């Protein structure tokens, strides 16, 4: 019987290294690949070291131009439009399970394997491929993976979905992987210092003009460094002394103003979203009760999603939620299964 071929997405971290080991143990004919996405940073040495230890072929794939065009350029364009994008969602769609899957097929592979913490299974009744949360919910990445297609899900393996992070590190230690205790990356990979405005200036060569901070009555209360660099709900880095904590509550990109106000001003119950990916159903045709989260670190909240025209859907939370932000993803769950997700276009 011929072994199924699998391309392992090896980032140089412990998770993808353990995923490679587990795929090999499961009987797949494996080859490793690191995607080079950034001009000056590559963890391919650690990945290649693990691949050599496992005895599998390895290569580095140069996706820098694709990443710059499809992820970084879009990130900047969204911020310039007043949105707060989620580049990890786009990278998963376009690069990690888009271009990488294309490469895997060219190499004769039937699967792409990665170290993401999530699970995939096929519904026996409907035949649809379902995305589930990881067993280790503290590491679950299903929110960032909602934008995978049915075809992609049918060719992806997540060996770590049933493990805890501690178990993954234990396997890495036992296999003598040099990255067994390597720290997890926390920030957006192309903005490790978290300074979005400086990145956008470097990436575009532009200088974004300063402008006015306004209170909720429209009164000028200070000067900001460029509306493009602020996000809804932000408190740190405003440089305002107003006698009480204030947060970014709105932006007007045409007027280059940033409105600030109290935390209560950030509470909303409804949002509209588009670019939906549905998993448990082919499409939304009737109102559906779900649990929804409008940002990655938010706990799911009870809500109802309503179909609208032109592929839009409206999500109504049972109770008001803080700082729902256009440009971010809203992901819907039924228990530990992802029902679907889309990109927030407006807060109602």
């Amino acid at each position: 019987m011929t072994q199924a071929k699998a391309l392992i997405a090896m980032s140089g971290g412990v998770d993808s290294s353990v995923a490679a080991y587990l795929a090999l143990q499961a009987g797949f004919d494996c080859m490793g690949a690191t995607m080079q996405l950034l001009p000056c940073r590559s963890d391919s040495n650690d990945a290649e070291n693990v691949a050599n230890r496992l005895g599998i072929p390895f290569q580095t794939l140069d996706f820098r131009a694709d990443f710059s065009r499809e992820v970084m350029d879009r990130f900047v364009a969204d911020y310039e439009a007043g949105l707060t994008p989620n580049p990890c969602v786009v990278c998963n769609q376009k690069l990690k399970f888009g271009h990488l899957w294309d490469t895997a097929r060219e190499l004769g592979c039937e699967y792409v394997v990665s170290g993401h913490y999530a699970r995939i299974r096929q519904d026996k009744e409907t035949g649809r491929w379902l995305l589930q949360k990881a067993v280790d919910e503290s590491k679950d990445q299903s929110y960032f993976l909602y934008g995978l297609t049915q075809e992609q899900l049918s060719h992806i393996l997540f060996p770590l979905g049933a493990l805890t992070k501690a178990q993954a590190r234990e396997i890495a230690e036992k296999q003598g992987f040099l990255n067994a205790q390597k720290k997890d990356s926390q920030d957006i990979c192309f903005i490790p210092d978290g300074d979005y405005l400086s990145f956008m200036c470097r990436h575009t060569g532009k200088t974004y003009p300063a402008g006015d901070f306004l209170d909720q009555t429209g009164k000028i209360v200070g000067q900001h460094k460029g509306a493009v660099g602020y996000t809804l709900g932000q408190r740190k880095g405003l440089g305002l002394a107003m006698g009480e904590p204030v947060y970014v509550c709105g932006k007007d990109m045409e007027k280059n103003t940033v409105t600030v106000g109290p935390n209560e001003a950030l509470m909303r119950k409804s949002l509209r979203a588009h670019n939906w990916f549905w998993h448990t159903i082919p499409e939304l045709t009737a109102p559906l009760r779900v649990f929804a989260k409008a940002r990655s670190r938010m706990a799911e909240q009870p809500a109802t999603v309503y179909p609208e025209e032109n592929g839009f859907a409206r999500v109504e939370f049972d109770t008001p939620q803080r700082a729902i932000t256009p440009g971010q993803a809203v992901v819907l769950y039924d228990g530990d299964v992802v029902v679907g997700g889309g990109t927030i276009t407006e807060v109602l």
Side-chain angles (χ1 to χ4, degrees), residues 1-7 23 26-30 108-111 157:
M1 183 175 169
T2 306
Q3 288 179 299
K5 289 187 175 182
L7 183 65
F28 289 93
D29 179 4
C30 298
C109 295
E110 297 172 53
Y111 296 97
L157 301 173

Side-chain angles (χ1 to χ4, degrees), residues 314-328:
R314 186 177 81 257
V315 177
E316 298 268 357
F317 289 95
D318 289 5
T319 56
Q321 303 300 313
R322 183 183 184 276
I324 299 172
T325 306
Q328 288 286 295

